[in-house]
Amino acid sequence: MNNRYSYHIQPENGWGNDPNGLIYFKGRYHYFYQNNPLATNNSRIYWGHVSSTDLIHWQREEMALAPETEYDQDGCFSGSAIVVDGKLYLMYTGHKNLPENYSETQCLAVSSDGITFEKIDEPIISTPPANNTHRFRDPKVWRNGDRFCALIGGENVEGFGQVHLYQSIAIAGPWQFVKTIAKAQLDEGTMWECPDYFTLDNQGMLLISPKGLGTADKGGFNSLYAINKSPNVQEADFSDFKILDKGTDFYAATTFFDPIKQRRLMVAWFGLPGEQEKEVGYHQVGALTMTRELKIEGDQLLTPPIEEYEELRQTEVTFSDEMKLSGSSELLFTPQEYFELKLKGDQGGYIVSYQNHQLQLTICDKLRNRIKTIAISEIKELRLFIDQGLTELYINEGEKVFTNKCELGNNLFVQAENILEGKAYLLAPIFS
Ligand code: FRU
């Protein structure tokens, strides 16, 4: 079956959402993702799986987890991966519908080859902490000295999102609740999904994906980060949350440490709850974003795409004020103090303009009409990736990023005004 997108990871069939269990194991990078292979909705979630030796050429692997045991019968929800004694473990949420609501428990599966997984008989954490509702999911596991730590997202009984820390001496448990390390204030989200914790430049960093934010923007969903000066998760005071990506179709971001190039990498779901449901008539919906590197420079977080994507450049197209491109392209340019770049396809349009230190992005296709304006003092460089309906715009090496779906079609006409110099490339697919 044809892939809908060319260089973004997507499910082979059906519905895809969060990236899960990103890890390097036995010579290969493994990315898993939430996938319902049987329908383009999220009614019954499996873990899809792809692997790669270089992070840009990928191969499909067999489904890693299927919802087939009593405790995960309605979904193998999001989670993470860890290597312990030469084996790959997946810690995930077993989702089970009940007559009134649902139950969520934390479960474990193990593999020696990274391809075939066996589930441990019983959930390893079967009840949430006392003040938490049944919304209790998305474990992120890591090793911390002589023990394992895990963060789990939740909602307290008053309806505020929160993140819990657990620890255990052995990966299979017994797991103990340590403390709630972060909590929402009013309008900061009713449920905090997909927590992630790691250190970057010796500072602690927390990622969360809240739902139920008190804003109409992105339907009340977003993916946020907070930095804590102490690298010790137990001493954390995470309160000043910032937005990871200015685009609409970016959610459930998660990271992993790449031991080969010693860097922290991030991938998110290229989609948004409530929005992706509107895409009908495709055999695949949902994709993962490009892999980005996380870097702290001064007090700024930069999230540029990993350098490996340059290897996908197949043909260079001469950059000019008016040019034609295919639906899988990259544009790289240095603008003047004000500029405009217009992309027109047979199915939609995408315009990025800049003046008086305001950047405006206008998107329209048969599903969307969106305008977003942000302040940005200086633009040194822009890089725009277009992939058959997916767009990622990186400003100043990832200082600001916009991840947006926009169905442009395959024949693109580009008009550039006030651009000093630029380059354009047609990009190769990532699945051979
Ligand atoms: C985030 C999320 C997670 C959950 C998964 C289910 O998009 O709702 O909290 O584990 O998706 O697919």
Side-chain angles (χ1 to χ4, degrees):
M1 190 112 38
N2 282 342
N3 284 327
R4 180 169 166 196
Y5 307 119
S6 172
Y7 58 92
H8 282 80
I9 294 167
Q10 66 213 294
E12 191 166 20
N13 281 299
W15 167 278
N17 57 296
D18 313 355
N20 295 147
L22 314 177
I23 199 152
Y24 184 80
F25 177 63
K26 292 193 173 165
R28 299 189 75 80
Y29 294 94
H30 294 264
Y31 283 13
F32 304 86
Y33 50 87
Q34 297 280 281
N35 179 203
N36 180 2
L38 302 172
T40 51
N41 62 42
N42 59 358
S43 59
R44 212 155 162 263
I45 295 287
Y46 295 58
W47 275 39
H49 183 193
V50 292
S51 79
S52 167
T53 56
D54 61 6
L55 291 168
I56 47 160
H57 299 99
W58 291 89
Q59 78 186 33
R60 294 198 181 278
E61 305 291 356
E62 63 191 62
M63 204 62 82
L65 300 174
E68 60 203 353
T69 63
E70 184 273 328
Y71 54 79
D72 64 15
Q73 64 190 29
D74 295 302
C76 297
F77 275 13
S78 285
S80 51
I82 189 166
V83 179
V84 184
D85 298 333
K87 291 190 172 157
L88 181 59
Y89 286 83
L90 304 180
M91 190 169 174
Y92 69 100
T93 298
H95 183 88
K96 185 175 164 183
N97 291 332
L98 301 172
E100 260 123 63
N101 43 39
Y102 53 76
S103 79
E104 293 187 319
T105 55
Q106 315 316 318
C107 314
L108 198 65
V110 60
S111 170
S112 304
D113 61 4
I115 306 297
T116 312
F117 290 85
E118 208 172 301
K119 292 179 187 168
I120 306 292
D121 288 346
E122 293 293 328
I124 50 172
I125 304 176
S126 49
T127 46
N131 74 340
N132 201 91
T133 68
H134 58 288
R135 297 195 167 86
F136 178 55
R137 55 182 177 258
D138 311 336
K140 173 73 186 211
V141 63
W142 76 98
R143 193 193 290 272
N144 191 1
D146 64 348
R147 57 202 59 206
F148 296 98
C149 288
L151 287 189
I152 304 175
E155 171 201 57
N156 73 15
V157 288
E158 280 97 37
F160 293 92
Q162 52 186 359
V163 174
H164 308 294
L165 174 66
Y166 279 73
Q167 68 177 29
S168 173
I169 297 293
I171 185 70
W175 282 86
Q176 270 147 8
F177 171 66
V178 181
K179 64 191 277 200
T180 300
I181 62 151
K183 232 185 253 165
Q185 303 294 315
L186 186 67
D187 288 339
E188 287 182 347
T190 52
M191 165 70 198
W192 282 5
E193 303 186 312
C194 303
D196 189 2
Y197 175 81
F198 51 90
T199 56
L200 193 63
D201 285 358
N202 211 33
Q203 302 180 75
M205 211 165 149
L206 179 70
L207 263 52
I208 51 169
S209 288
K211 59 186 263 186
L213 290 166
T215 156
D217 192 32
K218 290 183 72 168
F221 292 89
N222 221 325
S223 234
L224 310 176
Y225 73 96
I227 293 179
N228 186 56
K229 293 289 168 217
S230 164
N232 182 346
V233 66
Q234 296 220 34
E235 289 167 9
D237 172 22
F238 293 112
S239 45
D240 183 17
F241 285 96
K242 299 199 168 82
I243 294 175
L244 269 171
D245 186 294
K246 304 284 176 193
T248 304
D249 302 290
F250 182 96
Y251 191 64
T254 190
T255 72
F256 75 111
F257 186 71
D258 169 16
I260 304 304
K261 293 201 179 169
Q262 299 280 306
R263 55 191 176 169
R264 174 69 49 180
L265 303 180
M266 176 176 76
V267 179
W269 168 21
F270 206 132
L272 191 72
E275 285 295 323
Q276 190 165 289
E277 285 82 349
K278 297 177 190 163
E279 293 173 44
V280 290
Y282 298 98
H283 72 280
Q284 296 163 320
V285 297
L288 303 186
T289 64
M290 292 163 70
T291 303
R292 302 173 188 177
E293 186 172 348
L294 295 191
K295 296 179 183 174
I296 293 183
E297 258 184 44
D299 57 0
Q300 290 232 341
L301 176 70
L302 304 184
T303 63
I306 51 169
E307 59 193 2
E308 282 84 343
Y309 284 104
E310 288 173 28
E311 291 169 45
L312 292 182
R313 293 174 182 166
Q314 225 169 12
T315 314
E316 182 165 354
V317 178
T318 312
F319 195 96
S320 69
D321 291 354
E322 297 203 334
M323 60 191 153
K324 286 188 175 149
L325 286 180
S326 87
S328 299
S329 309
E330 176 190 353
L331 285 161
L332 184 69
F333 57 94
T334 315
Q336 310 224 34
E337 257 177 55
Y338 64 92
F339 72 89
E340 185 169 73
L341 182 84
K342 273 191 190 167
L343 267 64
K344 251 209 231 142
D346 33 30
Q347 293 176 32
Y350 182 102
I351 304 172
V352 44
S353 59
Y354 184 63
Q355 95 176 311
N356 300 332
H357 311 287
Q358 300 287 315
L359 181 115
Q360 183 162 300
L361 190 61
T362 309
I363 284 178
C364 69
D365 64 13
K366 62 179 181 206
L367 281 179
R368 324 165 174 91
N369 281 316
R370 293 189 181 125
I371 298 187
K372 177 109 180 179
T373 308
I374 60 160
I376 177 157
S377 54
E378 190 193 355
I379 297 191
K380 295 183 215 111
E381 182 216 66
L382 275 110
R383 214 168 152 193
L384 174 62
F385 290 88
I386 304 147
D387 185 10
Q388 312 291 343
L390 307 179
T391 67
E392 300 192 28
L393 176 67
Y394 294 87
I395 302 167
N396 299 344
E397 276 286 304
E399 182 191 318
K400 298 269 190 305
V401 187
F402 288 83
T403 300
N404 279 102
K405 289 185 178 173
C406 179
E407 294 288 343
L408 291 163
N410 206 31
N411 301 309
L412 290 189
F413 181 64
V414 182
Q415 282 174 298
E417 209 179 291
N418 272 319
I419 284 174
L420 283 178
E421 56 179 292
K423 287 185 184 298
Y425 303 93
L426 308 184
L427 300 189
I430 54 166
F431 288 99
S432 37

